[in-house]
Amino acid sequence: TSLAEVNSFSPSVPISPSSMISQYKFEDGPELRDLFITVDDPESHITAIETFITYRVVTKTSRGEFDSSEYEVRRRYQDFLWLKSKLEEAHPTLIIPPLPEKFIMKGMVERFSDEFIETRRKALHKFLNRIADHPTLTFNEDFKIFLTAQAWELSSHKKQGPGLLSRMGQTVRAVASSVRGAVKNRPEMFTEMSNYMETFSQKINLLDKIAHRIYKEEKDYFNEMKEYGAIHTLWSASEEDIADSLKGIASCIDRCCKATEKRMAGLSENLLPILHEYILYSEILMGVLKRRDQIQGELDSKVDALANKKTEKDLFSEEIGKLEDKVERANNALKADWDRWKQNMQWEMRSTFMNVAENNLRYYEE
């Protein structure tokens, strides 16, 4: 939402925060869905080699391509990583949702703590449901196998993937293409996308830093208030004449503590994860644009080679035709996914900041 839109309220409308918030009506209603996924019930596993967590993944569906209407499997983080890599491999120019990092960032919580496990569970739940809601990714065969196969079946399926040398070859090609420099014939809209993402990345990282700073300040304030409440309670025991007043102040501080704690929970559960997810999204989108450029680069190099070759023109023309089709498919896939992602991002950002504003209003009222 642009600043101009935020400031475009009619002068006749009362300028209070609550009336401003009520101006916004979210029009996106729930669509008809045929695939519901839940990630819950984290479970610790300790072996002689490693300690890891598995999560229960429950799927309910009415789709004909599934043999049953309900599935229940257990998956560990590495299985989610495998799914993400398979989706990127099959759909290089689609925007694959981000996964939470393997290791916790910024030292906010310890690994395997209840808070860390719950934060990761929510992120994994969102990851699978974003795929389920995607018009193309939801029908990916590896996604179906991830949701339905038992552990041994999934392990067997993983072994059928590309070998080490094949994966190394893909990595070398990706690095080589990134070193080649800018693509000559990149359509203007993809240059605009790239510029947009650079600005978006800077702004979302700045918002993330500010949000973490606010959270830290709130936490310091909360810890100080807790001490003051206890001090006034002790003080009231030795001052009979003003004991009731001191107890009243202690009670007021206690209520402020509870309100502040609720506000901090709103920041840590709703705002911080969304901002961090879109930091990861910005990295993913830059990668998608690079992969699109790589496909364009292959076509450009073949066209240049054809111009310099006098023989084998028929062979080159056939290869160029195939690459032109590949570029067109990549462009169309990215265009459609870009529009969809941008619309969802704007809705989610607006909704998130509206919730923060409403929580702040409740906090100050309390």
Side-chain angles (χ1 to χ4, degrees):
T1 310
S2 71
L3 193 59
E5 285 174 299
V6 171
N7 293 331
S8 65
F9 297 104
S10 164
S12 63
V13 177
I15 306 302
S16 70
S18 57
S19 67
M20 291 174 74
I21 286 169
S22 67
Q23 300 288 319
Y24 286 92
K25 302 294 182 188
F26 300 125
E27 296 172 1
D28 295 15
E31 297 176 359
L32 292 173
R33 293 178 60 190
D34 55 7
L35 186 63
F36 297 88
I37 304 167
T38 305
V39 178
D40 61 11
D41 190 27
E43 194 175 278
S44 273
H45 300 265
I46 301 171
T47 68
I49 302 171
E50 60 179 340
T51 300
F52 60 94
I53 309 290
T54 63
Y55 301 84
R56 182 175 65 173
V57 178
V58 177
T59 304
K60 295 182 180 181
T61 182
S62 56
R63 290 185 187 174
E65 65 264 28
F66 286 84
D67 296 330
S68 175
S69 61
E70 188 169 341
Y71 296 87
E72 182 179 317
V73 295
R74 294 204 72 86
R75 297 286 180 255
R76 58 184 296 186
Y77 180 77
Q78 288 181 356
D79 299 326
F80 287 85
L81 275 180
W82 169 84
L83 173 61
K84 184 172 184 289
S85 69
K86 294 299 286 184
L87 291 173
E88 287 173 346
E89 184 184 315
H91 309 282
T93 54
L94 290 182
I95 302 165
I96 312 300
L99 271 176
E101 295 92 341
K102 186 172 178 63
F103 300 107
I104 195 67
M105 301 295 286
K106 303 190 180 183
M108 284 186 70
V109 291
E110 292 182 11
R111 197 171 174 226
F112 299 129
S113 70
D114 291 344
E115 186 183 348
F116 171 76
I117 292 168
E118 177 58 14
T119 300
R120 172 164 284 184
R121 182 201 66 75
K122 287 179 180 176
L124 297 177
H125 175 87
K126 182 179 267 192
F127 170 73
L128 291 184
N129 279 279
R130 285 198 188 280
I131 296 170
D133 290 340
H134 193 283
T136 303
L137 300 177
T138 188
F139 297 107
N140 178 275
E141 187 62 25
D142 288 307
F143 181 48
K144 179 185 170 186
I145 288 166
F146 176 92
L147 296 177
T148 61
Q150 292 305 310
W152 66 270
E153 293 174 307
L154 183 64
S155 179
S156 174
H157 181 73
K158 282 182 182 180
K159 291 173 184 174
Q160 298 170 16
L164 176 62
L165 290 175
S166 171
R167 290 199 299 274
M168 282 177 63
Q170 290 167 6
T171 305
V172 169
R173 283 199 299 275
V175 171
S177 72
S178 65
V179 174
R180 270 202 293 265
V183 179
K184 291 186 299 183
N185 300 315
R186 178 203 271 169
E188 181 63 26
M189 74 167 297
F190 296 111
T191 301
E192 289 172 4
M193 279 186 199
S194 182
N195 293 338
Y196 180 97
M197 287 315 302
E198 283 182 18
T199 306
F200 178 84
S201 178
Q202 291 169 5
K203 291 188 176 183
I204 202 74
N205 274 282
L206 181 60
L207 281 171
D208 184 61
K209 285 178 184 174
I210 292 169
H212 275 91
R213 192 183 73 205
I214 290 170
Y215 181 82
K216 182 182 180 300
E217 288 174 357
E218 287 288 311
K219 194 172 182 181
D220 292 343
Y221 174 60
F222 172 74
N223 290 334
E224 284 187 22
M225 268 203 302
K226 278 202 302 186
E227 291 180 18
Y228 279 122
I231 287 168
H232 281 78
T233 302
L234 289 170
W235 188 6
S236 67
S238 60
E239 295 277 3
E240 289 184 12
D241 294 344
I242 55 171
D244 289 343
S245 297
L246 292 171
K247 285 178 182 176
I249 293 171
S251 175
C252 177
I253 291 172
D254 182 56
R255 288 199 301 275
C256 287
C257 275
K258 287 175 180 172
T260 304
E261 194 170 24
K262 197 189 297 182
R263 187 190 195 192
M264 285 165 53
L267 289 171
S268 66
E269 292 171 12
N270 301 319
L271 179 62
L272 297 180
I274 292 290
L275 293 177
H276 188 66
E277 183 182 24
Y278 277 97
I279 287 174
L280 299 178
Y281 255 128
S282 68
E283 295 168 2
I284 287 167
L285 270 149
M286 294 300 251
V288 169
L289 285 164
K290 281 182 181 174
R291 289 196 289 273
R292 194 223 70 88
D293 285 353
Q294 182 185 349
I295 296 169
Q296 179 88 52
E298 287 179 41
L299 173 61
D300 291 346
S301 65
K302 286 291 180 186
V303 171
D304 290 344
L306 178 61
N308 297 327
K309 286 244 182 189
K310 293 183 179 176
T311 57
E312 302 176 6
K313 280 203 171 186
D314 291 341
L315 179 62
F316 268 93
S317 297
E318 186 180 342
E319 286 185 23
I320 286 170
K322 289 178 181 176
L323 282 169
E324 284 173 341
D325 290 342
K326 189 176 180 182
V327 169
E328 187 176 359
R329 286 196 304 272
N331 288 350
N332 291 337
L334 181 49
K335 280 179 202 171
D337 228 21
W338 170 262
D339 291 338
R340 181 179 178 277
W341 175 83
K342 202 170 172 184
Q343 184 179 8
N344 287 346
M345 177 272 290
Q346 289 172 343
W347 184 90
E348 194 161 28
M349 283 290 170
R350 184 172 64 174
S351 176
T352 297
F353 282 108
M354 286 296 175
N355 286 338
V356 170
E358 288 173 349
N359 286 338
N360 284 345
L361 283 173
R362 283 194 293 271
Y363 169 76
Y364 285 113
E365 283 168 358
E366 286 176 25

